[in-house]
Amino acid sequence: MSALVDPAPLQRLSSDLGGDVAVQHRFVNDFLALWHTRELRLRTAIAAADLEDADIVLLSIRSSSKMLGAVRLDHTASQLHSTVKDKDLSGCRRQLPHLSEVGVDTCMALSRHIKR
């Protein structure tokens, strides 16, 4: 598909769902619909120095990214997650724009995939 998304996990997801492409697309659409909410919650958590909430949001982003094969987003979120775990707020603030950019690019790639 692209350097953003590996199609293999999406194919496994479809297989795990009994080959039901509609359910797979619904899962992708749910991810797309939740992206801005997750991003806003992460921004808010980092701005408030709430590293516990940032940890929870990043776990959510990473787990759903793995299921969808969003490899670059998972990698970027993993780097930010390490920074959260290190309690490095200034590092978190520096990395957040890159995560946002990769998230938007990933959403566009996934959206193109389900429109095929």
Side-chain angles (χ1 to χ4, degrees):
M1 184 180 310
S2 74
L4 291 166
V5 179
D6 175 3
L10 275 172
Q11 291 167 350
R12 275 193 305 276
L13 178 63
S14 180
S15 176
D16 290 347
L17 297 170
D20 190 339
V21 177
V23 174
Q24 176 199 32
H25 286 186
R26 192 167 40 244
F27 187 85
V28 172
N29 280 323
D30 288 347
F31 177 85
L32 297 174
L34 287 172
W35 172 250
H36 291 292
T37 301
R38 286 178 173 148
E39 180 187 12
L40 178 60
R41 183 175 168 194
L42 182 59
R43 284 184 180 281
T44 302
I46 290 172
D50 185 348
L51 297 178
E52 186 175 318
D53 198 42
D55 177 61
I56 292 167
V57 176
L58 286 164
L59 285 171
S60 174
I61 290 170
R62 292 185 65 204
S63 64
S64 56
S65 293
K66 283 184 193 313
M67 292 176 72
L68 294 172
V71 290
R72 191 177 305 166
L73 182 57
D74 179 38
H75 176 73
T76 305
S78 177
Q79 290 177 321
L80 180 52
H81 200 200
S82 292
T83 306
V84 166
K85 295 272 189 206
D86 290 341
K87 298 180 171 102
D88 178 2
L89 280 171
S90 63
C92 291
R93 290 182 183 110
R94 281 192 307 274
Q95 291 179 42
L96 199 51
H98 182 61
L99 179 78
S100 297
E101 179 182 323
V102 172
V104 168
D105 291 347
T106 299
C107 286
M108 289 190 315
L110 288 167
S111 180
R112 284 191 299 270
H113 171 74
I114 62 172
K115 289 182 181 177
R116 289 192 279 140

